[in-house]
Amino acid sequence: MKIEFENNTIEFNVLYGIRKKITIHIDSMGFITVKAPNDTSKELIMRAVKQHGQRILEKLHSIAEAREIPKTRDYQEKGKFLHLGKYYFLHELIETNGLNEEELKLNLKKFYFASCKRVIGERVKMYQTQLKVKPKTIEIDESKTKWGSCSSDKKLTFNYRLAMAPMDVIDYVVIHELCHLTHMNHDRSFWRRVGTIMPDYKEKEQFLAMYGHAMTL
């Protein structure tokens, strides 16, 4: 579900259950879950989200802010950038000869997109077999609030910045989104499914929350 609030689109999933009131949860990846009592009307849920719209936008903004550039990047041959959890000199990742800063930045982003597409493709292929699911499509994009997402029509999207993360963290995001193909909400069944493949998934979530700000251009 989604609503428009102050020229922003707020997307969220609804989890119904035996509870007394509506609550709104935003995880470290910017994924919004509205937990509502059984038989709660769509109108009531939309109203509740709108009532908390300002707080939701502030939270999403803080998540985006945490991923802003922590310091001025050195787009020189000896500048260091993350790739798959390790720092490399810029010239080890892309060709640098004769290029100005804007060209270097553009080419580095292209490098990350290509690397992310390759790595994500490999990991999805491996884990979809274990989970017995298959996404309709896989896309790489640029997001300030989400590392990955799964749409209701089984389309997976991943943030190109994941190419900067350690492989086990990439695996967590891949497993997380693949599990959404059968469990769209963050209910107990979803987390149990994630845990069957990656028991220490909470450590990976914590890594993204703590160090995600460094995984940016």
Side-chain angles (χ1 to χ4, degrees):
M1 295 175 67
K2 62 183 179 180
I3 66 166
E4 295 299 321
F5 183 83
E6 296 185 356
N7 298 319
N8 291 277
T9 300
I10 299 176
E11 297 186 25
F12 57 93
N13 281 314
V14 181
L15 177 61
Y16 294 97
I18 302 174
R19 50 180 57 89
K20 294 182 179 180
K21 62 180 181 179
I22 297 174
T23 58
I24 300 172
H25 174 70
I26 306 174
D27 67 15
S28 61
M29 299 171 74
F31 194 96
I32 304 170
T33 300
V34 177
K35 296 182 179 180
N38 290 322
D39 301 322
T40 303
S41 68
K42 178 180 177 181
E43 290 73 21
L44 193 58
I45 291 172
M46 302 284 270
R47 191 185 313 154
V49 174
K50 281 190 176 182
Q51 286 177 346
H52 296 279
Q54 192 59 47
R55 180 179 68 83
I56 292 171
L57 291 181
E58 288 174 359
K59 177 66 174 177
L60 293 178
H61 177 71
S62 67
I63 292 173
E65 216 172 40
R67 296 193 178 120
E68 289 298 323
I69 300 173
K71 60 180 180 179
T72 302
R73 296 296 188 186
D74 183 13
Y75 286 92
Q76 302 296 327
E77 185 177 355
K78 294 295 183 179
K80 286 190 174 182
F81 294 84
L82 278 169
H83 183 231
L84 301 182
K86 296 181 180 180
Y87 278 100
Y88 292 86
F89 290 119
L90 183 59
H91 71 88
E92 294 179 294
L93 301 178
I94 62 171
E95 177 59 50
T96 59
N97 291 332
L99 301 179
N100 60 38
E101 183 173 314
E102 284 304 311
E103 291 170 328
L104 290 171
K105 184 182 292 187
L106 178 61
N107 288 352
L108 183 59
K109 180 177 281 191
K110 288 180 179 179
F111 167 81
Y112 281 129
F113 263 92
S115 176
C116 189
K117 183 177 182 179
R118 175 182 58 80
V119 173
I120 292 293
E122 293 172 354
R123 309 314 278 182
V124 167
K125 186 176 181 180
M126 180 176 72
Y127 286 112
Q128 72 179 18
T129 301
Q130 294 184 46
L131 290 164
K132 295 181 173 58
V133 295
K134 188 174 183 179
K136 186 175 181 180
T137 61
I138 302 170
E139 296 181 1
I140 308 300
D141 75 352
E142 180 175 4
S143 172
K144 291 185 177 181
T145 59
K146 294 182 179 181
W147 293 110
S149 64
C150 174
S151 67
S152 58
D153 54 354
K154 298 186 176 183
K155 295 179 180 180
L156 301 187
T157 303
F158 297 92
N159 194 324
Y160 84 93
R161 293 185 177 90
L162 282 172
M164 305 177 196
M167 188 62 76
D168 59 346
V169 174
I170 296 174
D171 283 348
Y172 162 66
V173 179
V174 168
I175 292 167
H176 185 113
E177 301 310 331
L178 285 174
C179 285
H180 275 314
L181 293 174
T182 50
H183 302 281
M184 279 303 292
N185 295 302
H186 288 140
D187 55 14
R188 291 182 181 179
S189 297
F190 169 80
W191 290 115
R192 278 199 298 267
R193 192 64 177 134
V194 172
T196 60
I197 305 297
M198 182 172 281
D200 61 346
Y201 68 85
K202 289 186 178 180
E203 294 180 10
K204 310 304 183 284
E205 279 198 322
Q206 187 176 23
F207 179 93
L208 289 170
M210 292 178 65
Y211 303 110
H213 67 280
M215 293 160 50
T216 187
L217 294 180

